């Protein structure tokens, strides 16, 4: 994958740039793929369900409502996502178990870290457009993430 600055330079008319608010926590500092979206708030039931399926190099984008009170992802779910072929997760919320996640071969960007896990009530929505960071992530869009930022495109970029 080319860096996000290079992709912005090469395809300025095709990319949307996410506002700088997320930090890189995963073992992969650079990742990309077609996205699958989840909208949830302090309930990671759908995250748990989705990481148990075949990722095929895709990226899970989680709109956790920007919650800084619970962690939507921990080491066990990150390891399961990596084992099932997900390229990464972008979480508008918090994660936990950061040392273990940093040692896992998966990309993870999130707002921050919180030690408390979420509830599991089965509440949330899958594959709907979600908006945060000044952009709307539509299911099937393509995302590119690295230490420079996150960009989106409706089509794959070379």
């Amino acid at each position: 994958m080319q860096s996000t600055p290079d992709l912005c330079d090469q395809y300025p008319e095709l990319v949307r740039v996410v506002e700088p608010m997320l930090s890189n926590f995963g073992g992969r500092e650079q990742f990309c793929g077609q996205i699958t979206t989840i909208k949830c708030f302090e309930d990671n039931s759908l995250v748990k369900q989705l990481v148990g399926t075949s990722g095929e190099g895709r990226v899970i984008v989680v709109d956790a409502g920007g919650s800084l009170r619970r962690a939507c992802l921990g080491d066990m779910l990150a390891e399961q996502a990596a084992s099932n072929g997900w390229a990464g997760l972008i979480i508008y919320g918090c994660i936990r178990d950061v040392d273990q996640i940093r040692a896992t071969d998966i990309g993870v960007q999130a707002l921050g870290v919180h030690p408390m896990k979420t509830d599991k009530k089965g509440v949330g929505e899958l594959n709907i457009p979600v908006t945060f960071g000044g952009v709307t992530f539509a299911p099937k869009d393509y995302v590119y993430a690295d230490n420079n930022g996150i960009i989106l495109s409706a089509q794959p970029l070379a």
Side-chain angles (χ1 to χ4, degrees), residues 94-111:
C94 289
I95 66 166
R96 66 188 202 160
D97 304 316
V98 293
D99 296 329
Q100 295 88 342
I101 289 174
R102 194 167 309 283
T104 303
D105 184 25
I106 192 158
V108 177
Q109 290 208 16
L111 280 177

Side-chain angles (χ1 to χ4, degrees), residues 5-33:
D6 288 346
L7 290 170
C8 286
D9 291 349
Q10 193 170 356
Y11 304 101
E13 70 288 347
L14 297 179
V15 301
R16 294 167 281 155
V17 180
V18 179
E19 294 169 356
M21 64 173 67
L22 304 174
S23 298
N24 207 340
F25 294 101
R28 288 186 193 171
E29 293 189 348
Q30 187 179 58
F31 61 99
C32 64

Side-chain angles (χ1 to χ4, degrees), residues 119-142:
D119 293 327
K120 303 235 184 340
K121 297 178 181 175
V123 177
E125 297 175 88
L126 184 63
N127 280 326
I128 64 164
V130 298
T131 302
F132 60 87
V135 301
T136 297
F137 297 80
K140 309 275 187 198
D141 278 353
Y142 291 83

Side-chain angles (χ1 to χ4, degrees), residues 36-141:
T36 299
T37 63
I38 294 174
K39 185 173 181 77
C40 60
F41 185 75
E42 298 181 1
D43 182 336
N44 72 344
S45 301
L46 286 179
V47 176
K48 182 177 182 180
Q49 176 186 328
L50 199 55
V51 300
T53 66
S54 177
E56 301 170 350
R58 293 175 293 154
V59 175
I60 300 171
V61 175
V62 181
D63 178 355
S67 174
L68 300 177
R69 302 184 312 185
R70 299 289 178 116
C72 266
L73 181 76
D75 60 337
M76 292 188 297
L77 295 184
E79 288 169 13
Q80 190 173 12
S83 296
N84 285 325
W86 291 93
L89 296 101
I90 295 171
I91 300 177
Y92 183 53
C94 289
I95 66 166
R96 66 188 202 160
D97 304 316
V98 293
D99 296 329
Q100 295 88 342
I101 289 174
R102 194 167 309 283
T104 303
D105 184 25
I106 192 158
V108 177
Q109 290 208 16
L111 280 177
V113 177
H114 196 287
M116 182 68 72
K117 67 181 178 179
T118 68
D119 293 327
K120 303 235 184 340
K121 297 178 181 175
V123 177
E125 297 175 88
L126 184 63
N127 280 326
I128 64 164
V130 298
T131 302
F132 60 87
V135 301
T136 297
F137 297 80
K140 309 275 187 198
D141 278 353

